[in-house]
Amino acid sequence: MLGHIDRHPASTIRDILARAPGRMSHFLHTPDLNRHWYSRSPRIGQSEVDAERQRLDRAVAGDIDSPRTAAFALLADALRIVELTEPQTVLAQCGEAAWIVEECIDYLLLVRYRCELGVAAGSVGSGG
């Protein structure tokens, strides 16, 4: 998604909806709380990880250089990696991609909520 925002910063909502009508959640699988993926090798190098972390730190401090950075910061906020003080201001900086970022955030929050419910349900009656 972030790559698409970078490659097509001027895409209109109409253009994107023409390619994928409906809500993003209609195209995503229902989260399975028992599924775990374990990577056998790192997907990106440490220098890339460090660069993305610096980009994220700058975004949290208010230095948002592109719609991609805004989307990245909002997704990190939804995952509780960082805490944005004004997410609506950051969302506005996503431009035409704001709607898809909101859809992703809604999905991530739903998954997080279900995971939290699953953990809470597992601790009921087990002394936890």
Side-chain angles (χ1 to χ4, degrees), residues 1 22-28 99-101 103-104 107:
M1 183 194 74
R23 295 182 59 84
M24 176 176 274
S25 58
H26 296 164
F27 302 97
L28 297 171
W99 73 274
I100 198 167
V101 174
E103 291 284 336
C104 288
Y107 181 74

Side-chain angles (χ1 to χ4, degrees), residues 25 46 70 88:
S25 58
Q46 188 60 45
Q88 289 303 318

Side-chain angles (χ1 to χ4, degrees), residues 21-101:
R23 295 182 59 84
M24 176 176 274
S25 58
H26 296 164
F27 302 97
L28 297 171
H29 297 289
T30 302
D32 180 356
L33 299 179
N34 296 321
R35 184 180 301 166
H36 298 282
W37 289 281
Y38 299 99
S39 174
R40 294 180 185 207
S41 63
R43 302 258 184 226
I44 61 174
Q46 188 60 45
S47 62
E48 293 173 85
V49 170
D50 294 341
E52 288 298 318
R53 184 63 212 198
Q54 289 174 357
R55 180 189 291 242
L56 184 56
D57 290 342
R58 287 191 308 270
V60 171
D63 179 18
I64 296 176
D65 60 357
S66 69
R68 177 199 187 278
T69 301
F72 182 41
L74 287 163
L75 295 171
D77 182 63
L79 293 170
R80 295 185 179 161
I81 296 170
V82 298
E83 186 175 333
L84 297 175
T85 55
E86 296 186 32
Q88 289 303 318
T89 302
V90 177
L91 183 62
Q93 295 183 45
C94 290
E96 291 289 335
W99 73 274
I100 198 167
V101 174

